[in-house]
Amino acid sequence: MRRERGAPRDGWDKIIESQGIAYHRAAHPEGLNRPYWDESVHYVFSMDEVEALEAQVEELHAMCLQAADHIVSTGRFADLAIPDWAAADVARSWERRDPHLYARFDLRYDGTGPAKLLEYNADTPTSLVESSVAQWFWLKDTHPDDDQWNSVHERLIDRWGELSLPAGPVHFAWTSMDETGEEAMTLAYLQETAEQAGLTTAAIAMEDIGWDELNRRFVDLDGQMIRSAFKLYPWEWMLADAFGRHAVRHATWIEPLWKALLSNKALLAILWELFPGHPGLLPAYLDGPRELTSYIAKPLLGREGASMRIVTPAGTQETSGSYGQEGYVFQGFDALPDFDGQRPVLGAWMVADEAAGLGIRETTGLITDDTSSFVPHRIERS
């Protein structure tokens, strides 16, 4: 693994906008000295590295499924701040194995050893268009003889075709709280993959989904029953909404309710309990840092690097935010590797239960957040 510089393509901004990253300006605050999409640099991997990473993330995913089964079988829902009223529904969703689509692992990796799990974005992961589409066309334009860890698009289409969903259109729901357009474009891309798989689809805002009290069903703006829906709206928000008690029992949601077990950072501590000392894990606890002298406190339901606190012998760093009311997990802190002053996080994609691709975000800081740049990668042919 190494970081290389290269000349951006002429008109790169218009190119990526045409490929669905219309939000790259809005997603990046003014005053930063580099763009959200940065193709002036990229990372290079060997095929052996990628094959090892694929095996590692599939093992991590299998461990996460074991952790979900453990949470359900032992009733540890309170550790994840799942409301008491929803626990039985989460358990039933897991026991039914309600259909799931995709997820993203965030990993620390420096090219010298096993990747370390930082967290699992198993419910509403974004940066999908960048990973699946834009960097693939960057590769074809700039390094056509090389390869890329990227079968996301094909696997998504195949997965939609495998799902046994109720009759009628699959609704794709975004939230009007999306200020940059990233979620809307992610949703539009996923809707396109579903249509390529032969499904009938419809788009709707979460805020426009109605509840038909008489017939006990969700409906769209045309009064059509919503039997299945993909949502870019976290389950913890749904459970806190007034319609949450209906949502857990009506309609087929993707991602399913049991993904609330994996998208919660309490998962990190439970994994460490079940697989202590595993080379792909960092030590993590729910009741405090214990023996850790360097650790990061992560809110159980935090997002985009907000409300985190890094504690080391050298001092403490914090990020702003309003998360943390549900509690924190305390994870051993291992600083992201330094490549030319930038610190990458590898986002390894899962489609269903198989590793499918890689996206990389990098920043000069110790915590990857929504200002971090996305950079492409390639696999060098030997």
Side-chain angles (χ1 to χ4, degrees), residues 35-353:
Y36 169 75
W37 168 273
D38 189 356
E39 62 180 63
S40 69
V41 295
H42 66 274
Y43 285 84
V44 185
F45 297 83
S46 69
M47 185 60 74
D48 287 345
E49 280 181 301
V50 169
E51 289 176 348
L53 285 166
E54 284 184 317
Q56 288 171 46
V57 297
E58 290 190 354
E59 180 185 11
L60 286 170
H61 176 70
M63 291 161 56
C64 290
L65 296 183
Q66 291 182 56
D69 197 60
H70 166 79
I71 295 166
V72 171
S73 63
T74 58
R76 296 184 62 178
F77 302 102
D79 285 340
L80 284 71
I82 290 173
D84 290 343
W85 65 264
D89 294 290
V90 175
R92 282 191 286 268
S93 175
W94 169 250
E95 290 159 357
R96 291 191 304 262
R97 298 299 195 272
D98 289 344
H100 64 294
L101 182 68
Y102 79 131
R104 192 191 75 232
F105 283 105
D106 285 348
L107 306 170
R108 183 200 183 279
Y109 182 71
D110 60 13
T112 61
K116 298 284 189 181
L117 174 62
L118 300 176
E119 58 187 68
Y120 198 13
N121 299 280
D123 187 15
T124 57
T126 53
S127 76
L128 180 64
V129 180
E130 299 90 318
S131 300
S132 178
V133 179
Q135 70 168 342
W136 177 254
F137 285 106
W138 166 86
L139 179 77
K140 297 294 102 179
D141 288 343
T142 60
H143 298 85
D145 295 328
D146 282 351
D147 205 347
Q148 192 173 82
W149 182 9
N150 191 354
S151 59
V152 176
H153 185 78
E154 297 81 4
R155 288 180 185 269
L156 284 170
I157 295 171
D158 290 345
R159 181 57 176 165
W160 283 117
E162 294 169 354
L163 299 181
S164 297
L165 298 175
V170 181
H171 286 73
F172 282 74
W174 74 93
T175 172
S176 58
M177 292 186 290
D178 175 22
E179 296 179 351
T180 66
E182 179 181 10
E183 293 183 7
M185 293 306 299
T186 302
L187 198 86
Y189 169 66
L190 284 164
Q191 185 174 356
E192 180 183 345
T193 62
E195 291 173 350
Q196 288 185 32
L199 301 182
T200 302
T201 70
I204 191 170
M206 288 293 291
E207 292 79 3
D208 289 334
I209 294 176
W211 174 249
D212 179 351
E213 182 65 38
L214 178 63
N215 295 300
R216 307 294 292 173
R217 63 184 186 176
F218 287 106
V219 294
D220 61 19
L221 291 173
D222 296 324
Q224 184 177 33
M225 180 179 178
I226 297 176
R227 292 183 171 88
S228 63
F230 176 92
K231 84 245 178 343
L232 273 180
Y233 195 81
W235 267 109
E236 63 263 25
W237 294 2
M238 292 179 72
L239 297 181
D241 283 343
F243 72 86
R245 291 176 184 264
H246 302 313
V248 298
R249 300 182 179 93
H250 298 273
T252 296
W253 299 95
I254 303 172
E255 295 297 317
L257 180 56
W258 64 261
K259 279 292 189 82
L261 303 172
L262 303 188
S263 61
N264 188 303
K265 293 180 183 63
L267 173 72
L268 301 170
I270 293 171
L271 284 170
W272 188 249
E273 290 178 26
L274 298 178
F275 307 98
H278 189 282
L281 300 176
L282 294 165
Y285 307 105
L286 290 171
D287 58 358
R290 298 193 189 179
E291 80 284 355
L292 301 174
T293 57
S294 294
Y295 63 89
I296 180 168
K298 297 180 175 180
L300 299 185
L301 300 176
R303 304 173 69 82
E304 296 286 3
S307 305
M308 293 190 179
R309 184 174 75 258
I310 297 174
V311 177
T312 70
T316 300
Q317 297 183 36
E318 297 186 51
T319 59
S320 60
S322 57
Y323 298 106
Q325 298 91 333
E326 299 83 8
Y328 289 80
V329 66
F330 301 86
Q331 184 184 47
F333 177 68
D334 192 355
L336 295 173
D338 188 319
F339 286 79
D340 304 324
Q342 296 290 329
R343 299 181 182 273
V345 165
L346 272 58
W349 290 95
M350 298 290 301
V351 175
D353 301 312

Side-chain angles (χ1 to χ4, degrees), residues 7-25:
R9 294 166 293 176
D10 291 340
W12 65 268
D13 51 345
K14 299 297 188 294
I15 294 172
I16 65 168
E17 287 166 10
S18 71
Q19 294 163 352
I21 313 182
Y23 49 84
H24 70 101
R25 303 179 200 277

